[in-house]
Amino acid sequence: MRPDGVLRTTFVLVALSGAACGSNGTGPGVQPAAIAFLSNRDTSGDFDIYVMDSRGGQVTNLTKHTGGDFSPAWSPEGNRIAFATYRDGAPEIYVMNADGSGQTRLTNNFAVDFGPAWSPDGSHIAFTSDRDGLYEVYVMNADGSGQTNLTKNGANDDSPGWSPDGSKIAFASDRDGNDREIYVMNADGTGQTRLTNNTASDNTPAWSPDGRTIAFTSTRDGGNGEIYVMNPDGSAPMRLTNNPALDQSPAWSHDGRKIVFMSYRNGNREIYVMNADGSAQTRLTNNPAEDDSPTWRP
């Protein structure tokens, strides 16, 4: 996994770029339909984790740190956010309260750890790490204990996303020689199965809340990233976005009716939202900075 979000979930923009599915949080800017995202809009120029309401208003900086923060992921209760940060040197996984307080480190090693994803019951966090030489999908308890390599493959595996029932994890891999493909495995790492099969890049899988659909990013139609959906077995892929710019990093609303995503269609990275069928694509952020990696509060 390198640094880019779609075309390689690479970690400066998946990394500095990278799903979600409640209750009400507290703190400035946090609303029942809040969207967390990363941005470098503040004067320091560093990436921080922000939150806004579902219309793009009430934008609040949660992390306010010079180290570079990215990969936000809401807990299933909506009261915590896991994220990755460069503040300790190599990227590590942290967790904080929904208002930005209580920022606590979960991983601690010299490798790259990023892309956290909560299990639906909140007991575990899947993430990506290169601590064993290549990027692999790991899982740990929500307090950071019990860190375990799930994929154990001689290729790059990343972008984990849990099924709503917690039994499976979708992820991206380059193990079959193509750029990237979407795979699925049981939550214990067994039964790793390929879902997509083409020479393009398929990446950033995100399960719908009802478990019937997986949204993902693909370059299969023209080389630039677009948002697609498919059945959980990989069948019936359908394109939702269609423009010459990069669209990536889909994340579902808690009711499954909308998808938030990042697009480069206006010349820089901004957050957009659309209906689950791809209609009514609407821009939520609008500033000269880079906004990316949106994730909808459960």
Side-chain angles (χ1 to χ4, degrees), residues 11-295:
F11 79 59
V12 179
L13 279 168
V14 127
L16 286 173
S17 166
C21 255
S23 76
N24 294 340
T26 60
V30 179
Q31 301 296 323
I35 295 170
F37 64 103
L38 70 88
S39 180
N40 63 350
R41 62 181 62 196
D42 282 350
T43 54
S44 68
D46 294 304
F47 281 89
D48 284 306
I49 306 301
Y50 289 73
V51 70
M52 62 182 172
D53 65 36
S54 60
R55 297 179 298 276
Q58 300 188 33
V59 179
T60 303
N61 186 337
L62 297 182
T63 51
K64 300 177 183 176
H65 198 280
T66 59
D69 305 316
F70 59 101
S71 296
W74 290 97
S75 67
E77 315 84 22
N79 60 355
R80 291 180 291 170
I81 298 174
F83 64 101
T85 179
Y86 284 94
R87 64 186 64 180
D88 298 302
E92 301 284 2
I93 306 296
Y94 276 64
V95 68
M96 62 181 169
N97 296 324
D99 62 0
S101 64
Q103 297 180 29
T104 304
R105 184 173 179 172
L106 297 184
T107 64
N108 190 349
N109 62 77
F110 294 107
V112 173
D113 298 328
F114 70 104
W118 294 81
S119 63
D121 65 2
S123 64
H124 291 83
I125 297 174
F127 64 101
T128 302
S129 179
D130 69 350
R131 63 186 65 181
D132 290 322
L134 292 168
Y135 289 102
E136 302 278 5
V137 176
Y138 287 71
V139 69
M140 61 183 167
N141 296 324
D143 63 0
S145 63
Q147 297 177 27
T148 304
N149 186 339
L150 293 181
T151 48
K152 298 177 183 176
N153 186 271
N156 289 296
D157 303 319
D158 53 66
S159 303
W162 295 80
S163 63
D165 65 2
S167 67
K168 295 183 181 296
I169 298 174
F171 63 100
S173 179
D174 62 6
R175 64 181 65 184
D176 286 311
N178 291 338
D179 194 355
R180 312 288 289 167
E181 299 287 0
I182 306 297
Y183 286 72
V184 68
M185 62 182 168
N186 296 323
D188 62 1
T190 61
Q192 297 179 31
T193 304
R194 182 174 179 171
L195 298 182
T196 64
N197 189 352
N198 62 78
T199 56
S201 174
D202 298 325
N203 209 346
T204 64
W207 293 80
S208 63
D210 63 7
R212 297 179 179 179
T213 307
I214 297 175
F216 64 103
T217 309
S218 180
T219 62
R220 62 183 65 188
D221 291 311
N224 67 298
E226 301 284 0
I227 307 298
Y228 290 72
V229 291
M230 63 181 173
N231 295 329
D233 62 1
S235 64
M238 181 177 69
R239 182 174 179 172
L240 298 185
T241 64
N242 189 349
N243 66 81
L246 170 65
D247 298 325
Q248 70 176 29
S249 303
W252 296 84
S253 61
H254 73 281
D255 59 6
R257 297 175 63 183
K258 294 183 180 294
I259 296 173
V260 67
F261 63 102
M262 187 288 296
S263 180
Y264 205 79
R265 64 187 67 179
N266 291 106
N268 69 313
R269 293 174 186 257
E270 301 283 3
I271 308 302
Y272 284 71
V273 67
M274 61 182 167
N275 294 329
D277 63 1
S279 63
Q281 297 179 27
T282 305
R283 184 174 179 172
L284 296 182
T285 62
N286 188 352
N287 65 78
E290 301 291 317
D291 301 323
D292 206 334
S293 302
T295 178

